[in-house]
Amino acid sequence: MSFARLSGTGSYLPERVMTNAELEALVDTNDEWIRERTGIQQRHIVGDDETTCDIAEHAARRALTAAGRSPSDVDLIVFATTTPDRIFPATACLLQARLGIHGCTAFDVQAVCTGFVYALGIADRFIRTGGARCALVVGAETLSRIVDWTDRGTCVLFGDGAGAVVLEESKGAGIHSTHLHADGHYADLLHVPRDSTDDPAGNEMPGGYIRMKGNEVFRMATNTLGRIVDETLLANGLEKRDIDWLVPHQANIRIIAATARKLNLPLERVIVTVERHGNTSAASIPLALDVGIRDERIQRGDMVLLEAFGGGFTWGSALLTY
Ligand code: UT7
């Protein structure tokens, strides 16, 4: 029996930082509201000519360096994104070309904010069943391109960024389990309509931008993430006290705190980046993981729980020994 073990992580944030004060000039909002209701203080925004593949390449190269691997070692690329460079080919293929790799399996995963957990779950299954030995798993987003900068209910929340991990075949424990769920009945609570005719409520609104019923998503996210904590612990025969670190999707500090409370974990045992990164969807977990590993809070042998909730609805978790 082989496991998939995390051998390296990397991340990248675009240079431009957008503060809450800048948003005050765009919509009727204020720094105090954004901090209190979300925990966000700033977010990074890509430059005009910077693409999802561009920022992912930086994160991927950093992850490969941390793992002591070269691009030619990679035999699988799973790329989670909601903001691909093109409708096709997959951004995974564009990244593959950038890295100078030929022939390996490469595809995108669309599970919005749960995308990275889905991608990790898929790569884990490839490795455990002998379909790959060295996988590059990426979460990268340029959400600023699908944010409606006139909608104060959403534009204050999102940011751009990229994270990546290298997963390798290992005899010793790495990923213990992943739990992936979806319920398409909630599609309309958080979505990007195709065009003005694609609104179930019949409102005339421009397509192509994020639309969210924030309040309802918040309630569902909090309850669902509480349940997935129980599901993950039960599947592995573990108790709450066995978890060393929580690395959650970074949507809102209040949702993160609720999940930490569910685990009886103090916030000091949670990797929190939402204040600096905002919600970077599929990139938020690999970004936070890289922060926690590089600043040496997460140590080899620690038990780490990743969890996410997002559009679809989709939700999921991964439990791993780092
Ligand atoms: O990552 C994928 C999953 N996404 C999430 O998990 C996001 C989940 N939702 C949330 O994080 C929160 O619902 C939000 C941060 C989006 C909103 O926070 P809330 O506490 O649920 O606020 P609300 O929507 O209930 O609005 C409260 C008030 C409203 O004013 P009234 O009607 O009480 O007068 C809003 O119009 O706050 C107002 N408001 C704002 N005020 C200042 C909404 N957005 C803003 C804003 N600045 N940006």
Side-chain angles (χ1 to χ4, degrees), residues 11-313:
S11 62
Y12 179 80
L13 290 158
E15 267 174 41
R16 167 151 158 58
V17 171
M18 183 186 259
T19 62
N20 291 347
E22 281 180 74
L23 285 161
E24 289 177 12
L26 294 180
V27 286
D28 179 15
T29 190
N30 58 78
D31 177 52
E32 192 190 352
W33 189 97
I34 302 171
R35 281 176 195 249
E36 274 180 11
R37 306 307 295 166
T38 73
I40 299 167
Q41 299 171 20
Q42 60 167 59
R43 69 287 293 143
H44 291 252
I45 304 290
V46 284
D48 289 344
D49 55 359
E50 216 170 9
T51 70
T52 299
C53 188
D54 289 335
I55 60 174
E57 183 184 352
H58 293 296
R61 289 192 184 279
R62 287 174 184 174
L64 287 165
T65 302
R69 292 286 174 196
S70 67
S72 59
D73 294 320
V74 173
D75 56 7
L76 169 68
I77 301 174
V78 189
F79 196 127
T81 188
T82 299
T83 45
D85 286 12
R86 304 182 190 170
I87 290 174
F88 74 83
T91 316
C93 297
L94 304 179
L95 178 63
Q96 184 192 41
R98 290 281 187 89
L99 295 174
I101 317 171
H102 300 270
C104 76
T105 312
F107 57 91
D108 285 3
V109 170
Q110 161 58 300
V112 204
C113 299
T114 319
F116 181 77
V117 177
Y118 265 64
L120 201 67
I122 293 164
D124 177 47
R125 284 158 177 81
F126 263 85
I127 289 177
R128 279 180 193 247
T129 54
R133 304 183 69 154
C134 180
L136 185 60
V137 184
V138 182
E141 301 282 11
T142 48
L143 292 170
S144 58
R145 301 225 162 88
I146 59 165
V147 161
D148 176 353
W149 292 102
T150 66
D151 175 14
R152 71 174 183 172
T154 53
C155 77
V156 302
L157 304 173
F158 298 101
D160 301 332
V165 305
V166 177
L167 271 191
E168 294 191 53
E169 187 182 34
S170 152
K171 293 263 174 291
I175 296 178
H176 298 284
S177 68
T178 56
H179 305 266
L180 311 175
H181 297 283
D183 190 339
H185 290 95
Y186 297 97
D188 299 337
L189 293 183
L190 174 52
H191 69 137
V192 175
R194 189 170 30 81
D195 55 36
S196 59
T197 64
D198 182 28
D199 176 22
N203 301 316
E204 276 284 316
M205 58 181 190
Y209 298 106
I210 298 172
R211 302 291 170 199
M212 176 169 73
K213 297 207 167 71
N215 233 309
E216 291 171 58
V217 177
F218 184 94
R219 266 198 310 277
M220 284 289 293
T222 311
N223 294 335
T224 308
L225 290 171
R227 282 202 306 277
I228 204 147
V229 165
D230 289 335
E231 178 186 339
T232 313
L233 292 174
L234 188 68
N236 290 280
L238 295 180
E239 303 289 335
K240 292 175 182 176
R241 63 171 177 274
D242 297 320
I243 305 298
D244 296 307
W245 291 101
L246 175 65
V247 184
H249 169 50
Q250 313 279 323
N252 186 317
I253 190 64
R254 293 183 291 142
I255 299 175
I256 294 171
T259 312
R261 272 197 303 277
K262 170 86 189 173
L263 273 165
N264 296 335
L265 268 187
L267 269 183
E268 294 73 49
R269 306 300 290 181
V270 183
I271 308 297
V272 178
T273 53
V274 69
E275 73 278 15
R276 286 173 291 144
H277 301 172
N279 180 348
T280 57
S281 193
S284 88
I285 290 179
L287 268 163
L289 197 56
D290 190 47
V291 167
I293 287 172
R294 283 181 192 259
D295 69 18
E296 299 182 349
R297 275 178 289 173
I298 300 177
Q299 294 285 321
R300 284 284 173 202
D302 283 353
M303 187 69 76
V304 183
L305 177 64
L306 318 180
E307 49 80 350
F309 181 92
F313 287 143

